[in-house]
Amino acid sequence: MDLSAINWLLLLASLMVASTPILLAAIGELVVEKAGVLNLGVEGMMITGAISGFAIAVETQSPLLGFVAAAIGGAVLALLFGFLTQVLLSNQVATGLALTLFGLGLSSLLGQSYIGIKPPLTGMIDIPFLADLPILGTIFFRHDLMVYISLLIVVAVWFLLKYTRIGLILRAVGENHDAAHALGYKVVRIRLMAIAFGGACAGLGGAYLSLIRVPQWTEGMTAGAGWIALAIVVFASWKPGRVILGAYLFGGVTVLQLNLQAAGLAIPVEYLSMSPYLITILVLVIMSADRSRTALNAPACLGRSFHASS
Amino acid sequence: MKLKTILTGAALALGLAGAAVAGSHGKTKVGFVYVGPIGDGGWTYEHNRGRLAVEKAFGDKVETTYIENVPEGPDAERVMTQMALKGVDLIFTTSFGYMDATINVAKKFPKVKFEHATGYKRADNVGTYSARFYEGRAVQGLIAGRMTKTNTIGYIASFPIPEVIRGINSSYLHAKKVNPNVDFKVVWVYTWFDPAKEADAAKVLIEQGADVILQHTDSTAPLAVAAATDNVIGFGQASDMAEYANGPRVSSIIDNWGPYYVARTKAVMDGTWKSDDTWDGIGAGMVKIGEMTDRIPADVQAEAKALEAKIASGEYKPFTGPINKQDGSVWLAAGETADDGTLAGMNFYVEGLKGDIPK
């Protein structure tokens, strides 16, 4: 074992990179669930974002346009889900699962001619002055733009949900759609907007995989990241701040265990890989042990269909 | 109770009759179960090329089907059962983890022939086949040992199974032979296909000083990571991965399944199919070494090609003594070669490799 082989600064920096896709997807899903909708199609939206972002970035040679396209791609797919569940009132769980399968198929169809192509490189942004700070500079301030954007999105979501009228309305729709409707809020429209936002975030997360983290297009490349994002939302008990914690925990464990292995430390890899899931289950148990708390956290109308006549 | 039994019996008979009818209209049906997507650019991609070779060889006389992204576990059993129920005559299950599922399903469908890749459990209607990838690994190890400047070679391993361990041992032995200072860093990712994780593993190895990356996973992600650096090289795994030839990919190990799949399909058509165990290497053409790029100096290329030729002719075996096990005990005495049984069940590192194989 040689722990000195590990460059801890680079490890912490790559932890942020490894966590960004699931962070983006999870914060999007959090907003969707706060609005009372359970969209299990995160994986499908992510991979659709991964290919649409990749394709546009390759065609235009602009990673930025790629990310915009990824957000649009994810949002369009999400709106399909929105149309089915909000307008046609289909079952959200079944539709979400179908969305994942559909997204995986659609993306491999779209991606046929993009296998083996290199995407344009996304530049790193060294934040002036801060990047030169010892230790902190390497960890926090020498990343690509998307890492900062993902964190900004989380802060913005937290602020909007907590301190603004929009956030209040969104939460009202998620907690009690009948009451929100009685007050004159357009429940379906608000939910559709939340769903589109969730799709856009998932799309960004997917494009982060195909444009920066891997960077290439491979079929099925999200390989379950969308499901982890769903777990993180629960782990975070629907609080934006804890989504960062959850995403960095999941991402961190992956990177950490690879580093420890490369350094020759004999750790049982299986246990370390399991740990975030165990913690998620633990959080769920603790949450449900206290009934008043559960009521505070999970949106009361989560997964329930709304129709104005009911 | 009685009625139920009769009904079940009738249903079963109907089902069997249906299967018989489906199988009797002249076309031989061949099914393939894949662990990853056919667009992975590696392992599954090559198996699918084998499937296409079967279609090309027999034209209208065969009908092939495949299912991709089948997880190793209960899902695999379900997929195989479905294939067998649809009247498929020959099913290739193309991942180590399908071993028990293949045996279980084969018991239920004695008339259907199964071919399981890289496994060791056989039955009357289950044959196994694999390629001696470790022969290719020997050539790869030689090139890696000659090319590394940092004397650190990173190895992305998938699961701790004999096939993967053989690959690590073989490449290490041949790297060490040409470069006594070489050191291997092995990372187990516990997946065959997860581009993000494979990329993370490659990054970690590069951060820790590796300038040659060997992989035993299925996607091109590690090469994509290496492409972002100036000094790191890698190899195509399972497939040529020639799209990275202008960058980090200096050579490759190609699995060439086509001829085998064609021969086995022919055997089913002729009614001569028998369960057996095929394990071919460079000599038989099942393992090929992809074109070496100019990044490899001419003398190293010549050395590597000479080794490849010696392995192909059978003059040299990659596991030839003296070789000690990791704990220092003697495995092979000078001049002794490993028998296939030991190789098939290899569960130990050779001397010089650091770390433990996860249990």
Side-chain angles (χ1 to χ4, degrees):
Chain A
M1 180 176 98
D2 180 16
L3 283 182
S4 63
I6 300 179
N7 186 331
W8 293 95
L9 299 184
L10 284 179
L11 187 153
L12 289 171
S14 55
L15 180 156
M16 290 180 76
V17 172
S19 311
T20 301
I22 44 179
L23 176 63
L24 280 164
I27 194 67
E29 179 67 13
L30 180 132
V31 171
V32 177
E33 293 193 10
K34 271 286 182 193
V37 180
L38 182 65
N39 185 354
L40 294 182
V42 181
E43 179 90 359
M45 300 185 298
M46 277 185 93
I47 194 117
T48 307
I51 184 57
S52 33
F54 189 84
I56 297 299
V58 167
E59 300 302 338
T60 63
Q61 287 298 310
S62 157
L64 197 67
L65 283 179
F67 278 109
V68 172
I72 295 172
V76 167
L77 199 69
L79 281 174
L80 179 69
F81 169 86
F83 176 72
L84 291 170
T85 57
Q86 301 308 307
V87 181
L88 304 181
L89 299 182
S90 67
N91 179 294
Q92 293 183 6
V93 172
T95 313
L97 291 172
L99 195 71
T100 289
L101 297 175
F102 176 67
L104 287 170
L106 180 72
S107 63
S108 68
L109 180 71
L110 292 174
Q112 287 298 335
S113 52
Y114 291 99
I115 293 170
I117 295 178
K118 260 181 263 173
L121 280 182
T122 312
M124 294 289 159
I125 297 183
D126 293 2
I127 295 183
F129 308 117
L130 292 177
D132 300 328
L133 286 176
I135 302 176
L136 290 182
T138 315
I139 301 173
F140 293 113
F141 302 113
R142 288 184 192 172
H143 288 291
D144 50 86
L145 189 60
M146 283 313 291
V147 170
Y148 307 125
I149 290 184
S150 69
L151 291 171
L152 280 180
I153 291 177
V154 176
V155 173
V157 165
W158 165 77
F159 182 82
L160 276 173
L161 284 178
K162 190 152 190 188
Y163 293 110
T164 67
R165 194 179 163 79
I166 304 171
L168 198 62
I169 296 169
L170 188 89
R171 273 156 47 206
V173 167
E175 294 298 343
N176 190 335
H177 50 217
D178 293 321
H181 176 67
L183 286 171
Y185 294 119
K186 310 275 187 222
V187 173
V188 170
R189 196 180 299 167
I190 291 163
R191 283 190 172 165
L192 281 175
M193 286 194 284
I195 291 169
F197 176 80
C201 285
L204 286 178
Y208 191 84
L209 275 175
S210 63
L211 288 174
I212 298 176
R213 186 155 159 224
V214 175
Q216 65 169 2
W217 165 250
T218 312
E219 274 179 41
M221 67 186 302
T222 45
W227 300 109
I228 293 177
L230 279 163
I232 290 173
V233 177
V234 179
F235 169 86
S237 44
W238 295 270
K239 289 190 167 48
R242 291 194 203 161
V243 166
I244 297 192
L245 187 73
Y248 282 14
L249 184 71
F250 273 79
V253 164
T254 315
V255 178
L256 178 69
Q257 58 110 337
L258 291 172
N259 266 286
L260 291 177
Q261 279 197 62
L265 181 62
I267 40 140
V269 185
E270 303 89 332
Y271 295 114
L272 207 48
S273 307
M274 238 193 293
S275 55
Y277 300 93
L278 286 178
I279 298 173
T280 305
I281 294 172
L282 204 69
V283 169
L284 278 174
V285 170
I286 294 171
M287 271 169 51
S288 57
D290 187 346
R291 282 201 154 263
S292 58
R293 268 200 186 170
T294 325
L296 278 178
N297 287 325
C301 280
L302 185 60
R304 282 170 49 195
S305 293
F306 171 76
H307 190 264
S309 66
S310 61
Chain B
M1 180 66 194
K2 216 171 191 181
L3 182 69
K4 208 169 162 191
T5 322
I6 293 168
L7 279 178
T8 319
L12 198 69
L14 265 178
L16 287 177
V21 169
S24 68
H25 59 59
K27 275 190 184 180
T28 304
K29 289 192 178 177
V30 188
F32 294 81
V33 184
Y34 298 142
V35 72
I38 55 173
D40 68 354
W43 176 258
T44 300
Y45 176 74
E46 284 300 319
H47 282 287
N48 195 50
R49 283 202 2 191
R51 179 183 70 85
L52 295 174
V54 170
E55 281 197 339
K56 204 171 157 215
F58 301 108
D60 311 338
K61 282 192 269 168
V62 295
E63 192 182 316
T64 67
T65 53
Y66 66 89
I67 299 187
E68 23 176 20
N69 291 319
V70 178
E72 299 177 332
D75 262 2
E77 216 165 309
R78 190 177 52 77
V79 166
M80 289 170 207
T81 307
Q82 228 160 32
M83 270 192 180
L85 282 174
K86 278 189 186 149
V88 172
D89 305 291
L90 172 64
I91 301 179
F92 291 96
T93 58
T94 64
S95 189
F96 178 80
Y98 297 153
M99 182 157 64
D100 292 332
T102 307
I103 296 290
N104 291 345
V105 178
K107 259 187 219 147
K108 286 185 245 163
F109 299 93
K111 292 234 173 88
V112 180
K113 316 278 187 278
F114 291 82
E115 293 262 352
H116 177 234
T118 70
Y120 53 79
K121 289 188 185 167
R122 280 171 287 279
D124 283 345
N125 60 334
V126 183
T128 52
Y129 64 102
S130 183
R132 295 179 187 269
F133 310 111
Y134 67 88
E135 295 186 351
R137 291 277 175 199
V139 179
Q140 202 176 55
L142 182 147
I143 298 172
R146 285 278 186 223
M147 297 284 289
T148 178
K149 303 243 166 20
T150 60
N151 288 332
T152 306
I153 292 168
Y155 203 112
I156 305 171
S158 43
F159 295 96
I161 58 171
E163 181 202 326
V164 177
I165 296 166
R166 272 196 308 274
I168 298 171
N169 283 336
S170 177
S171 48
Y172 177 74
L173 285 171
H174 294 85
K176 187 94 178 167
K177 211 171 265 180
V178 295
N179 180 355
N181 298 320
V182 84
D183 200 15
F184 267 43
K185 281 184 188 291
V186 182
V187 164
W188 299 90
V189 292
Y190 282 90
T191 178
W192 290 113
F193 176 80
D194 183 345
K197 204 166 182 190
E198 293 169 49
D200 285 345
K203 273 181 209 156
V204 163
L205 290 165
I206 293 168
E207 276 166 18
Q208 295 202 18
D211 64 348
V212 180
I213 301 287
L214 308 184
Q215 66 178 97
H216 204 134
T217 49
D218 299 350
S219 90
T220 48
L223 286 172
V225 170
T229 66
D230 305 323
N231 62 329
V232 179
I233 59 164
F235 294 81
Q237 161 64 11
S239 185
D240 199 28
M241 302 190 177
E243 60 268 31
Y244 284 99
N246 286 327
R249 174 213 162 278
V250 294
S251 182
S252 60
I253 297 178
I254 305 170
D255 310 346
N256 182 25
W257 304 111
Y260 180 76
Y261 287 172
V262 170
R264 297 306 275 174
T265 307
K266 185 91 180 40
V268 168
M269 286 175 165
D270 300 346
T272 56
W273 188 95
K274 262 211 228 81
S275 161
D276 70 353
D277 178 31
T278 303
W279 202 13
D280 284 337
I282 293 180
M286 201 180 245
V287 175
K288 287 183 173 174
I289 304 294
E291 200 185 332
M292 299 175 197
T293 65
D294 294 340
R295 277 183 89 160
I296 308 179
D299 55 327
V300 178
Q301 284 200 26
E303 198 181 358
K305 280 182 183 144
L307 179 65
E308 183 189 347
K310 263 170 48 184
I311 293 174
S313 68
E315 184 190 337
Y316 172 74
K317 300 241 182 284
F319 290 110
T320 302
I323 302 175
N324 290 346
K325 292 188 182 179
Q326 190 183 31
D327 57 15
S329 63
V330 177
W331 174 35
L332 296 171
E336 194 186 350
T337 55
D339 63 285
D340 279 0
T342 316
L343 288 183
M346 188 178 267
N347 58 358
F348 56 86
Y349 277 156
V350 294
E351 191 172 44
L353 278 166
K354 294 187 185 122
D356 298 314
I357 300 169
K359 289 287 174 310

